Amino acid sequence: MTTAAPRRLHFTLEATAEHSSARAARFTTQHHEVLTPTFMPVGTHAAVRSQRRDDLLESGAQVLLANTYHLLLRPGLEIFEKFGGIHGFMNWPRAVLTDSGGYQIFSLPGSRSLCEDYAEFTSYTDNSLIRLSPERSIEAQKTIGADIMMALDQCVPSTVEHAAARGAMELTHRWAKRSLAARGDSPQALFGIVQGASYADLRIESAQTIAQMPFDGYAIGGLAVGESSAQREDCTAMVTELLPQDSPRYLMGVGTTRDLLEAVHRGVDMFDCILPTSLAKQGVAFTSLGRRDLRRAAYRGMEGPIDPACRCYTCKTHSIAYLFHLQRVHETAGWQLLGLHNIHFYLQLMRTMREHILAGTWAEFYRAQRDVLDARDSYGKAPRRPTKAVLRERKRKRGRYEVIVKDEVGYIRDTVSGEVMHPGGDPAHEAQSLYVEQSRLLERLSSPADWAQESRSAQPLVLWDVGLGAAANSMAAILAVENLPPAASRPLKVVSFENDLDSLKLALDHPAWFKHLRHAAPRALLRDNRWHSATSPVEWLLLCGDFAVRKFEAPAPDIVFFDPFSFKTDSALWTLEAFRELAQACKDKPAELYTYTYSTSVRAAMLAAGFYVAKGRATGLKGETTIGLSARAAATAHGRELLGQEWLAKWGRSDAQVPFGGAAQDDTWREAVLAHPQFRA
């Protein structure tokens, strides 16, 4: 179990958005209460470039970020000792977070060397050697007086080879333990950092390892260093799922306003990035209508503020034309004014996100802002026709879904929740392995005499496909059966349930990336709600709508492929009551249910509903999945590994005992799990 961390930050989770991981929270540092989500302006050298302290305070900055490595060199720790820490030195009344110097291990490879004990740098001030170990980094941060310190880590490029990424991750874990030990009983908070480059297996391992350590908060490092935005978003979602709910989560060094929106949607609370001031120096402003680039001559005589919806000093005082002029003559006031606006815009955006999370209107806000925040400069002239690239991008979206492509394989992502269908590998391969092969579908169709009496009749074997999605599971079953000799095969009736067909329609528009759909069946199913194979005894039915209602129209299943999105997106399908209804539908047959999750809450719900629950085979990033058996199936020689006393003991210690969505008020579900026949010796 996770060791409880001392409550240095007094973190309170106030709300989580529906169908999203976006959260609103608050925590208290030694100097200031911080409301999240929050953005931290970067003050590397104890100053935010081109910005006055009073403007930062007026904009609502709650935390500033400073860098330990740079402050160690200049002004030096003796200055912080003299002034009683960074707050007195820079006259800053609110919180300060100090980076550990780990990023310099990545960004200064030519002037440093690395070993197990420390990183050694050549100082850019006097060419002396600076050794930065976990202990030295924490000692420096304690002297600087940061409210939040960061453990020293090793960051590597996202494109580095797997072995190198693993080495850096494991060193980060060892240094994390040393950082905790060095912090001792200091009242300053300390965050651990998850590493692992762009490798999902390493990110999962790192998140699980760091989450077991008693840090006050948890950071995701090593992103925005070469990976695509899709990779970054997938990695963020994967890691936040594994981090503690009762601690802040910090995505380091990211990013644009669109990046922040996507990361908040995936459960991140804190951000920092140099973009608001660095792009201001180049003449770029972030606005409520997208970006504006003041290097364009179209702004030379334009009246009005840079952002008509903004109330910052820059927007209230100066016209676009004047800001354009300052940029054109390289006047530093232009950098300062645009930087002020950009920081104000970032901080206001975070406050607005928090308001929508608390008000329960996050989903609408998120959908409305995704494309607006990513819009690039098109002001000052007639709208241009969309480029071919833009048109191609639009074709990848339909309703709430979009296509993402990895290694020429297509995946469907829900843009509201951020979840990806079959994220662990080629969806067709996962469907074949996890559902078709594991259910022994072909064996049951070609050798019915080996199964229970109910399967020996001429009645078709009924397969429920719960969560049609892009039809990977149904098509895997159909394609497998069409390869059997027709005379040797028992009839198969596939019943697919889906409440939103946009994902299948979108995938059908891109057959180059969804090869399993190069078949007549999916289009016929969409047209007629049914399809019959001309070569094999296979019938495919579509019941579109609410599964809770439409399942009563279907014949009882022999096999269930249970593959909806997770509880976050399809919450009604994962509750105890939903599994009770499923168990009732399966009770008269030796039925088996296969699902991709191994969630403790889901397994508890299945047991309480009356299923026998067994371990399923590994798939993608998951070390195991889950199989549910009806009582009649459990009474056969099924060959499955049922959960035993070891799992029951683990469940008893878990924070995820309760089935998703709560449970019956009388607590009988808990008694049903404890008294389940599969746990009897």
Side-chain angles (χ1 to χ4, degrees):
M1 295 182 66
T2 303
T3 304
R7 289 291 178 179
R8 288 178 170 87
L9 290 180
H10 308 288
F11 180 87
T12 301
L13 180 60
E14 297 175 280
T16 300
E18 187 176 7
H19 304 312
S20 171
S21 295
R23 2 190 276 172
R26 64 178 65 219
F27 60 85
T28 306
T29 71
Q30 291 179 290
H31 288 89
H32 191 67
E33 183 180 50
V34 179
L35 307 182
T36 72
T38 192
F39 178 80
M40 302 179 289
V42 176
T44 300
H45 300 274
V48 179
R49 287 286 176 92
S50 79
Q51 298 303 300
R52 299 188 317 140
R53 164 193 178 276
D54 290 349
D55 291 331
L56 293 167
L57 290 170
E58 186 176 340
S59 293
Q62 304 177 88
V63 189
L64 295 186
L65 181 142
N67 184 273
T68 301
Y69 170 75
H70 291 289
L71 295 180
L72 230 155
L73 300 183
R74 284 193 300 220
L77 298 183
E78 68 280 1
I79 296 297
F80 293 105
E81 291 175 343
K82 178 178 180 178
F83 282 84
I86 193 170
H87 295 83
F89 181 54
M90 62 184 296
N91 192 22
W92 178 252
R94 298 177 185 171
V96 173
L97 180 149
T98 43
D99 195 358
S100 63
Y103 184 73
Q104 279 63 49
I105 297 176
F106 162 74
S107 62
L108 302 173
S111 58
R112 62 89 176 148
S113 59
L114 184 68
C115 66
E116 177 67 32
D117 290 335
Y118 54 80
E120 191 171 66
F121 297 85
T122 301
S123 168
Y124 57 79
T125 61
D126 59 9
N127 290 323
S128 63
L129 288 180
I130 303 293
R131 286 185 176 178
L132 194 63
S133 65
E135 294 77 12
R136 176 61 169 154
S137 175
I138 295 299
E139 176 191 357
Q141 293 181 77
K142 288 165 73 172
T143 302
I144 291 167
D147 297 84
I148 301 172
M149 306 184 293
M150 301 301 299
L152 188 64
D153 65 326
Q154 185 186 3
C155 175
V156 294
S158 61
T159 54
V160 76
E161 293 182 356
H162 190 278
R166 170 168 287 282
M169 177 197 74
E170 291 175 346
L171 180 63
T172 294
H173 295 170
R174 295 192 294 273
W175 282 4
K177 293 178 181 178
R178 289 169 58 186
S179 296
L180 274 168
R183 191 264 302 267
D185 60 359
S186 168
Q188 295 159 278
L190 178 62
F191 283 21
I193 303 175
V194 175
Q195 288 289 354
S198 292
Y199 298 101
D201 60 327
L202 297 184
R203 285 288 177 177
I204 291 172
E205 181 180 344
S206 186
Q208 291 172 335
T209 300
I210 294 296
Q212 293 297 313
M213 300 182 192
F215 287 107
D216 306 293
Y218 299 87
I220 306 170
L223 293 180
V225 287
E227 77 286 350
S228 68
S229 59
Q231 288 176 312
R232 182 162 58 251
E233 290 162 10
D234 291 345
C235 177
T236 301
M238 185 191 316
V239 171
T240 55
E241 288 286 332
L242 299 171
L243 295 179
Q245 291 286 323
D246 59 353
S247 299
R249 303 159 178 170
Y250 165 29
L251 181 57
M252 306 178 73
V254 178
T256 67
T257 49
R258 167 72 181 270
D259 290 333
L260 268 57
L261 180 79
E262 296 291 355
V264 167
H265 188 50
R266 289 160 176 81
V268 176
D269 306 308
M270 302 167 63
F271 305 88
D272 79 278
C273 191
I274 64 170
L275 286 183
T277 50
S278 65
L279 288 184
K281 189 175 184 180
Q282 300 173 36
V284 175
F286 294 90
T287 79
S288 59
L289 300 174
R291 297 192 196 184
R292 281 186 155 175
D293 188 341
L294 293 182
R295 291 169 294 190
R296 293 186 53 235
Y299 292 114
R300 182 172 178 270
M302 188 173 290
E303 298 177 315
I306 192 77
D307 184 352
C310 182
R311 299 299 299 162
C312 76
Y313 172 83
T314 301
C315 291
K316 289 189 297 184
T317 309
H318 298 296
S319 68
I320 302 176
Y322 180 64
L323 296 172
F324 168 84
H325 165 71
L326 295 178
Q327 166 67 23
R328 180 58 61 91
V329 298
H330 306 292
E331 173 55 56
T332 56
W335 176 16
Q336 189 270 332
L337 288 168
L338 278 186
L340 185 156
H341 163 77
N342 283 346
I343 288 175
H344 181 93
F345 181 80
Y346 266 62
L347 293 169
Q348 182 57 49
L349 175 64
M350 306 309 284
R351 289 191 290 268
T352 303
M353 286 196 266
R354 175 180 168 82
E355 290 167 3
H356 282 284
I357 295 168
L358 291 172
T361 54
W362 170 259
E364 296 87 346
F365 174 79
Y366 170 73
R367 285 195 294 267
Q369 291 296 311
R370 289 185 78 231
D371 293 331
V372 172
L373 291 176
D374 201 39
R376 299 305 172 97
D377 196 345
S378 61
Y379 306 98
K381 61 180 182 179
R384 293 178 295 179
R385 294 182 61 183
T387 64
K388 290 182 179 180
V390 169
L391 293 174
R392 284 196 300 268
E393 184 68 20
R394 289 177 182 174
K395 288 181 179 179
R396 292 194 184 190
K397 297 180 180 179
R398 186 183 184 113
R400 62 186 286 166
Y401 303 106
E402 66 181 358
V403 174
I404 58 175
V405 181
K406 299 178 183 178
D407 300 324
E408 297 303 312
V409 174
Y411 301 79
I412 299 294
R413 173 160 51 194
D414 183 326
T415 59
V416 175
S417 69
E419 290 188 73
V420 178
M421 297 180 184
H422 300 268
D426 188 327
H429 294 165
E430 181 174 282
Q432 179 67 26
S433 173
L434 180 58
Y435 295 105
V436 175
E437 294 177 3
Q438 189 173 212
S439 68
R440 298 176 288 201
L441 175 66
L442 298 187
E443 185 180 346
R444 297 186 71 163
L445 291 171
S446 59
S447 306
D450 294 338
W451 297 88
Q453 183 64 40
E454 289 84 349
S455 299
R456 295 178 187 161
S457 67
Q459 293 297 316
L461 184 141
V462 178
L463 166 61
W464 279 14
D465 170 37
V466 183
L468 172 66
N473 299 334
S474 289
M475 285 305 303
I478 290 168
L479 292 170
V481 173
E482 287 192 332
N483 288 325
L484 286 175
S489 179
R490 176 184 173 190
L492 173 67
K493 183 188 288 288
V494 180
V495 185
S496 289
F497 300 88
E498 183 56 77
N499 64 355
D500 186 345
L501 297 174
D502 278 347
S503 56
L504 178 55
K505 294 174 181 177
L506 178 60
L508 281 167
D509 288 338
H510 301 281
W513 297 324
F514 297 89
K515 296 180 181 179
H516 66 279
L517 297 178
R518 299 175 186 177
H519 193 285
R523 294 187 185 278
L525 186 77
L526 285 177
R527 183 183 65 244
D528 305 325
N529 291 329
R530 67 174 58 240
W531 169 82
H532 287 86
S533 172
T535 60
S536 300
V538 180
E539 180 184 16
W540 191 8
L541 303 178
L542 172 62
L543 295 180
C544 189
D546 187 354
F547 175 66
V549 176
R550 301 227 59 182
K551 64 174 175 284
F552 297 109
E553 303 172 31
D558 297 284
I559 297 173
V560 179
F561 292 171
F562 194 76
D563 192 29
F565 278 121
S566 75
F567 178 78
K568 181 171 65 176
T569 303
D570 287 326
S571 54
L573 297 180
W574 296 95
T575 63
L576 173 58
E577 189 56 36
F579 281 113
R580 281 175 171 163
E581 292 185 355
L582 260 176
Q584 185 67 19
C586 296
K587 69 181 179 64
D588 294 328
K589 287 185 173 183
E592 295 182 347
L593 178 151
Y594 301 86
T595 186
Y596 60 85
T597 184
Y598 61 102
S599 158
T600 300
S601 295
V602 170
R603 288 177 166 181
M606 293 173 68
L607 288 162
F611 283 104
Y612 287 69
V613 178
K615 297 178 182 179
R617 65 170 57 175
T619 180
L621 307 176
K622 295 180 173 65
E624 63 184 45
T625 53
T626 299
I627 303 172
L629 296 86
S630 68
R632 300 188 70 165
T636 68
H638 52 76
R640 308 299 188 185
E641 182 184 354
L642 296 176
L643 304 181
Q645 290 294 330
E646 182 180 355
W647 181 88
L648 191 63
K650 180 181 177 182
W651 170 76
R653 299 189 301 269
S654 172
D655 295 331
Q657 292 184 17
V658 182
F660 287 126
Q665 294 180 355
D666 59 8
D667 213 32
T668 56
W669 64 270
R670 189 182 303 275
E671 298 172 11
V673 173
L674 293 170
H676 198 287
Q678 82 175 62
F679 298 121
R680 295 173 187 166

